[in-house]
Amino acid sequence: MSKNLINWLENLLLWGIIIKLKAMTSFTEENYLKIIYMLTEQNGGNEVSTNELAEITQTKAASVSDMLRKLAEKNLINYRKYQGVTLTKEGQQIALSVIRKHRLWEVFLVDKLGFGWDEIHDIAEQLEHIDSKELTEKLDKFLGSPQFDPHGDPIPDSKGKMPSMASCKLSEVPIDQTVVMVGVLVHSPAFLQHLDKNHITLGSTIKIQEVSEFDKSFTVLLNNNQSVFVSNEVAKNLLVK
Amino acid sequence: MSKNLINWLENLLLWGIIIKLKAMTSFTEENYLKIIYMLTEQNGGNEVSTNELAEITQTKAASVSDMLRKLAEKNLINYRKYQGVTLTKEGQQIALSVIRKHRLWEVFLVDKLGFGWDEIHDIAEQLEHIDSKELTEKLDKFLGSPQFDPHGDPIPDSKGKMPSMASCKLSEVPIDQTVVMVGVLVHSPAFLQHLDKNHITLGSTIKIQEVSEFDKSFTVLLNNNQSVFVSNEVAKNLLVK
DNA sequence: ACTATTTTTTAGGTTTGTCTAAAAATTTGA
DNA sequence: TCAAATTTTTAGACAAACCTAAAAAATAGT
């Protein structure tokens, strides 16, 4: 009967919609996945705790618990109650895609629009959730397929593979050695502006002239022949090669 | 007493937050305002009805009613029950800012990333809600402060002023006259792809060679000396100058 | 090893934006 | 003009993402 057929088609359509909804990740879910990815990295691959997530998302632990249950149902995280979480393959893919978009947009904001590296974070936090694969790939081409963002962070490729680069903290480099500034471990506007004021930017050549016994502060020579003072606190957060 | 002082400060803070929340417009609210603006234009300044809004937002009239009550409370629309709505000054400002962002991003997508004019609508619908005045103004500069978007629609300036341009429908132009294509009244991919196939684009020179008595279809001569056939349906939706 | 503390989860509630069903207002047309 | 049809609003519910308060599990200290 044609009415049965129509019902059947409608059911199929309905199923299609349900499957689509289940496959979709919301703005908020994407944020959780991204943060779990970054914290897992920081922890050296260990599980991320509920409280850590609550701290960073600026919500309460109870809200995090709710969300973790939901993400686990969607198979995006590995979740054993009270034991913290890690990402599944699928969750990692989504996290990497969000990070890719975030970092590509940061390159756009600095290279094309002329923003400072201390001004772009909040805008990129919004742009990273724009949903269009074609857009991401065209943006990537337009920017010349950059490997690193304006803070020196690696940009994963469309398959989620991160470019790697050996680097270490400036604080660990021996005296008299000459190195190149390739990244920062802290992204706060205050830190970045401090570097600007001292003419230290991505790509700066840094020669370590003197290290104080007392407070482990550095005096370094930059490529412009300027001699600047670098506290240990700063040196610990500068990546060089 | 210091406890009273603290309470008092907390109250002030709370007030501050409430004021901020009241001043903010959500993604969804922005969409309603934008749509009300566009429908009001189409209606020649008349009120927009609940059903019209339900149709376009793809929701139910009941949901629209709810939202209208909310927007009216925030003084963004003029709303008399059962009488339809218009925007207040404040609502219009927000609508124009969203439209400005939408059209600037469309220029970016076509001019810088190489998208076709039939592929950009859904992406711009997302980008138009990115919240950063500095971003909008830097994007505008980067694009060379364009006056019109890839469909020929005017881009309001940062104060909400629309550039104007006299134009009329191709269907209203007399025979033998030569005009320039400056816009479209329909933005569906199908229509835009049809124009692409006939080599009619923004800026094309069009000379009307022949008009059929029977179906009001046109034969026109383009700047590349190609002669193409234009149905009345198409001619009614082409803006020329 | 067993309290005390901390961490995490559960239970129950709020807001936003949606829904369906039903009521009320407006418009239409004989 | 007044009953029928249409449009709009109200009432009551639901899902997502959050909250507070309280219960349960894990960890730590002696």
Side-chain angles (χ1 to χ4, degrees):
Chain A
M1 261 163 216
S2 87
K3 195 158 178 210
N4 267 341
L5 182 64
I6 286 171
N7 278 337
W8 186 72
L9 285 172
E10 276 180 357
N11 272 333
L12 276 192
L13 183 62
L14 192 59
W15 272 53
I17 289 167
I18 289 165
I19 289 163
K20 213 170 188 177
L21 286 177
K22 276 208 123 179
M24 288 233 306
T25 44
S26 71
F27 190 101
T28 312
E29 289 168 337
E30 283 188 358
N31 264 331
Y32 271 91
L33 295 175
K34 181 188 67 172
I35 292 168
I36 293 167
Y37 182 92
M38 309 238 257
L39 289 178
T40 308
E41 289 280 283
Q42 269 182 39
N43 289 353
N46 282 326
E47 286 81 11
V48 178
S49 77
T50 302
N51 263 3
E52 276 182 283
L53 287 169
E55 165 102 33
I56 297 212
T57 56
Q58 294 278 48
T59 62
K60 295 299 146 79
S63 311
V64 174
S65 266
D66 267 6
M67 182 55 85
L68 295 183
R69 195 187 28 69
K70 198 170 133 192
L71 292 173
E73 261 169 29
K74 291 190 175 189
N75 279 314
L76 298 173
I77 59 175
N78 306 115
Y79 177 43
R80 286 168 15 253
K81 281 181 191 173
Y82 297 97
Q83 305 304 135
V85 294
T86 56
L87 293 176
T88 61
K89 266 273 137 59
E90 212 185 317
Q92 208 165 49
Q93 272 310 115
I94 295 171
L96 283 165
S97 133
V98 174
I99 290 169
R100 172 169 167 77
K101 288 186 279 179
H102 183 102
R103 295 183 178 167
L104 284 174
W105 281 116
E106 286 198 338
V107 174
F108 171 71
L109 294 172
V110 169
D111 286 9
K112 301 295 180 181
L113 297 196
F115 276 98
W117 64 347
D118 56 321
E119 304 173 312
I120 56 183
H121 189 265
D122 292 350
I123 302 175
E125 287 282 299
Q126 298 180 63
L127 287 165
E128 74 189 6
H129 301 289
I130 301 292
D131 179 32
S132 164
K133 283 210 175 92
E134 304 81 56
L135 173 59
T136 308
E137 297 323 308
K138 290 204 164 165
L139 180 64
D140 178 66
K141 290 247 165 53
F142 177 62
L143 299 172
S145 297
Q147 302 239 62
F148 299 92
D149 79 11
H151 306 112
D153 295 316
I155 302 174
D157 71 17
S158 59
K159 278 151 195 150
K161 188 163 186 328
M162 284 279 192
S164 62
M165 182 180 48
S167 68
C168 68
K169 296 175 187 174
L170 179 61
S171 56
E172 295 162 347
V173 175
I175 201 163
D176 280 337
Q177 205 163 323
T178 299
V179 292
V180 177
M181 205 293 237
V182 297
V184 291
L185 288 176
V186 162
H187 295 66
S188 72
F191 179 59
L192 299 173
Q193 283 158 21
H194 176 83
L195 294 182
D196 280 343
K197 219 169 288 170
N198 288 283
H199 307 102
I200 299 172
T201 61
L202 225 57
S204 290
T205 295
I206 299 176
K207 182 173 182 194
I208 295 150
Q209 291 184 302
E210 207 186 314
V211 182
S212 154
E213 281 290 318
F214 172 62
D215 63 359
K216 306 239 154 68
S217 66
F218 290 61
T219 308
V220 305
L221 188 71
L222 299 182
N223 36 334
N224 58 3
N225 252 29
Q226 220 175 356
S227 192
V228 306
F229 170 82
V230 177
S231 73
N232 182 254
E233 194 52 36
V234 167
K236 278 193 300 190
N237 288 307
L238 273 184
L239 289 177
V240 298
K241 191 175 68 168
Chain B
M1 261 163 215
S2 88
K3 194 156 179 210
N4 266 341
L5 182 65
I6 287 169
N7 278 337
W8 185 70
L9 286 171
E10 277 181 358
N11 271 334
L12 276 191
L13 183 63
L14 193 59
W15 272 51
I17 289 165
I18 289 165
I19 289 162
K20 210 168 188 177
L21 286 176
K22 277 208 124 179
M24 289 234 306
T25 44
S26 71
F27 189 100
T28 313
E29 289 169 338
E30 283 188 359
N31 263 332
Y32 272 91
L33 295 174
K34 180 189 68 173
I35 292 168
I36 293 168
Y37 181 93
M38 310 239 258
L39 289 178
T40 308
E41 289 281 281
Q42 269 182 40
N43 287 353
N46 282 326
E47 285 80 12
V48 177
S49 76
T50 302
N51 263 3
E52 275 181 283
L53 286 169
E55 165 100 35
I56 297 213
T57 56
Q58 294 277 49
T59 62
K60 296 299 147 80
S63 312
V64 174
S65 267
D66 269 5
M67 182 54 85
L68 295 183
R69 193 186 31 67
K70 197 170 135 193
L71 292 173
E73 261 168 30
K74 291 189 178 191
N75 280 313
L76 298 173
I77 59 175
N78 306 114
Y79 177 43
R80 283 164 22 251
K81 281 180 189 174
Y82 296 99
Q83 305 303 135
V85 294
T86 56
L87 294 176
T88 61
K89 267 272 137 59
E90 213 185 319
Q92 209 165 46
Q93 273 310 117
I94 295 170
L96 283 165
S97 134
V98 174
I99 290 168
R100 171 170 169 74
K101 287 185 280 181
H102 183 103
R103 293 182 180 168
L104 283 174
W105 281 116
E106 286 198 338
V107 174
F108 171 71
L109 293 172
V110 169
D111 285 10
K112 302 294 181 180
L113 297 194
F115 277 98
W117 65 347
D118 56 321
E119 304 173 312
I120 56 183
H121 188 264
D122 292 351
I123 302 175
E125 287 282 300
Q126 297 180 64
L127 287 165
E128 74 190 3
H129 301 290
I130 301 291
D131 179 33
S132 163
K133 284 208 174 95
E134 305 81 57
L135 174 59
T136 309
E137 297 323 308
K138 289 203 164 167
L139 180 64
D140 177 67
K141 290 248 163 54
F142 178 62
L143 300 172
S145 297
Q147 303 239 64
F148 299 92
D149 79 10
H151 307 113
D153 294 317
I155 301 175
D157 70 17
S158 58
K159 278 151 195 151
K161 187 163 188 329
M162 284 280 193
S164 63
M165 183 179 50
S167 68
C168 67
K169 297 175 186 174
L170 178 63
S171 57
E172 294 163 348
V173 174
I175 202 164
D176 280 336
Q177 204 165 323
T178 301
V179 292
V180 177
M181 203 294 235
V182 297
V184 292
L185 288 175
V186 161
H187 295 67
S188 73
F191 179 60
L192 298 173
Q193 283 158 20
H194 176 83
L195 294 182
D196 280 342
K197 219 168 287 168
N198 288 283
H199 307 102
I200 299 173
T201 61
L202 225 57
S204 290
T205 295
I206 299 176
K207 181 174 182 193
I208 295 150
Q209 291 185 305
E210 207 186 315
V211 182
S212 154
E213 280 289 319
F214 172 62
D215 63 0
K216 306 239 153 67
S217 66
F218 291 60
T219 308
V220 305
L221 188 69
L222 299 182
N223 37 333
N224 58 3
N225 251 28
Q226 219 175 356
S227 193
V228 307
F229 171 84
V230 177
S231 73
N232 182 254
E233 194 52 35
V234 167
K236 279 194 298 190
N237 288 307
L238 273 185
L239 288 177
V240 298
K241 189 177 70 166

